[in-house]
Amino acid sequence: MFLTLSDADFQAILDAGNWSSTAEDHEAFYGEALPVSLVEKWVKDYDPTKKETTAGLAALTLMTGAAAWGVTPLAGLPGDPEKKKWAGPGKGNDGKHLMSYAIGGVGVNHTDSSALIELMDYLKEQHRTLAPEADRFFALRGINFDHIRANGGVCAHPKKEIALDLNGIAFGHSNYGANKKYCFGRQGKKATTLEDWQIFRHWIRAALWLRDVQRYIIERWLNKTWIPSYDAVMGAGGSVEEVMINSRIRNSSPYTAKCALDKANQVAAADRIQSQLDAYANIGYQECRGNPKYKERFGVMQRPVALYRHFR
């Protein structure tokens, strides 16, 4: 991959993410926060003439702007755009985690769709015998995360999600439910089963316990989400701060990211970031297919921008 993290930076992310070979997708492991020294290093390592020096800024954007991680210690930091004193995600589904597998998607970027297909291909190539029921797990390739989950018992009344893994040991993830809006249109689609969701969770958790899989997920985001936004934004005369916003939008929808940049190219330089945020939340730019609920993400999305400007 073009962008890679040094072993020291990668380890620092694992440490900040409370990761270990026994970590879980549970609130006991949440509250992730990057050390301020690492954030400052990433910002100061950036050379605008060398794209390869953006790996740290890309990781900063993924962790603080997409996954909603915090920064510590608080002393000396700028104001938090999220107005949470740079705290990391707490209870509930308000962030993304290295061990995410029970809700939202897989890993720290909530891998899904085509990225989930690529992850499963990587596991088939590198870890074919990682866990039982390999054939059934790999047969799920191409089915979106939420379709597997919705048919895995979380939408049933009463809830029927299988609580034990394939070894008969209780899953350690937090107990997440699902509302009618989530279940509508997903339940019954693709005809996956309770056992498929059990197998999927067992395999993905086992994969997320592996260092190489964590590195794969993070560096894939750097190269396939950050780099396309960097090339597009900088090619249009934009700033690296805009790349931070656009790559977060791309994490949700490449179409919306492209449309948001097109709209930014039509406004004054001082308004470009807000224009992209508005497109993401469907404020005045319906053709960008944004979502009004994404307005609640504006604070988190601007965290890496605030940190970059502070330490630059």
Side-chain angles (χ1 to χ4, degrees), residues 9 12 33-46 56-57 59-61 63-64 69-73 77-78 86 244 303-312:
D9 285 1
L34 295 171
V36 67
S37 58
L38 181 64
V39 172
E40 183 174 6
K41 172 185 176 296
W42 282 343
V43 171
K44 292 183 175 178
D45 280 350
Y46 171 53
L57 296 184
L60 176 65
T61 300
M63 303 307 163
T64 65
W69 289 18
V71 180
T72 189
L77 288 175
W86 294 101
M244 292 171 167
R303 275 182 162 181
V305 174
L307 292 165
Y308 175 81
R309 289 174 174 172
H310 179 71
F311 288 113
R312 195 63 181 175

Side-chain angles (χ1 to χ4, degrees), residues 161-184:
E161 185 178 47
I162 297 173
L164 303 180
D165 66 19
L166 298 176
N167 295 324
I169 300 171
F171 283 108
H173 62 73
S174 293
N175 184 22
Y176 294 109
N179 58 34
K180 290 182 179 179
K181 184 177 180 180
Y182 171 87
C183 296
F184 180 78

Side-chain angles (χ1 to χ4, degrees), residues 20-267:
S20 72
S21 59
T22 58
E24 265 291 355
D25 187 3
H26 187 275
E27 62 194 50
F29 297 88
Y30 299 169
E32 300 96 331
L34 295 171
V36 67
S37 58
L38 181 64
V39 172
E40 183 174 6
K41 172 185 176 296
W42 282 343
V43 171
K44 292 183 175 178
D45 280 350
Y46 171 53
D47 179 345
T49 68
K50 298 179 180 179
K51 184 165 59 175
E52 61 269 25
T53 66
T54 65
L57 296 184
L60 176 65
T61 300
L62 171 58
M63 303 307 163
T64 65
W69 289 18
V71 180
T72 189
L74 180 61
L77 288 175
D80 180 7
E82 179 66 357
K83 304 187 187 311
K84 291 185 178 180
K85 297 182 179 179
W86 294 101
K91 294 182 179 180
N93 185 33
D94 65 348
K96 300 176 177 66
H97 317 282
L98 295 175
M99 287 301 301
S100 285
Y101 71 92
I103 191 169
V106 174
V108 74
N109 68 325
H110 279 184
T111 295
D112 198 6
S113 304
S114 61
L116 181 56
I117 290 175
E118 291 182 29
L119 173 60
M120 294 180 76
D121 289 345
Y122 177 83
L123 294 178
K124 191 170 186 178
E125 178 181 342
Q126 300 293 328
H127 301 287
R128 182 69 173 77
T129 60
L130 178 62
E133 299 287 357
D135 289 344
R136 285 193 62 175
F137 172 71
F138 291 113
L140 298 172
R141 182 185 184 277
I143 304 177
N144 284 357
F145 177 94
D146 281 320
H147 291 145
I148 303 172
R149 180 174 182 266
N151 290 288
V154 298
C155 290
H157 298 284
K159 189 177 178 181
K160 295 182 180 179
E161 185 178 47
I162 297 173
L164 303 180
D165 66 19
L166 298 176
N167 295 324
I169 300 171
F171 283 108
H173 62 73
S174 293
N175 184 22
Y176 294 109
N179 58 34
K180 290 182 179 179
K181 184 177 180 180
Y182 171 87
C183 296
F184 180 78
R186 292 187 174 106
Q187 192 175 13
K189 193 170 185 179
K190 301 291 185 181
T192 55
T193 66
L194 300 181
E195 291 75 20
D196 288 330
W197 178 232
Q198 176 195 34
I199 292 166
F200 182 87
R201 283 178 292 154
H202 184 109
W203 262 85
I204 293 298
R205 182 185 59 177
L208 292 173
W209 280 335
L210 301 175
R211 291 177 63 90
D212 71 290
V213 174
Q214 290 290 348
R215 182 181 278 277
Y216 170 85
I217 290 172
I218 293 169
E219 292 188 347
R220 184 196 180 280
W221 195 93
L222 270 56
N223 286 277
K224 295 200 173 184
T225 302
W226 169 269
I227 285 292
S229 284
Y230 184 89
D231 289 344
V233 170
M234 302 305 276
S239 65
V240 74
E241 295 102 306
E242 283 182 61
V243 181
M244 292 171 167
I245 299 298
N246 190 264
S247 59
R248 172 60 185 95
I249 297 173
R250 187 177 300 274
N251 191 74
S252 298
S253 168
Y255 176 89
T256 302
K258 180 181 183 303
C259 184
L261 179 58
D262 289 343
K263 301 306 177 185
N265 289 336
Q266 300 171 28
V267 302

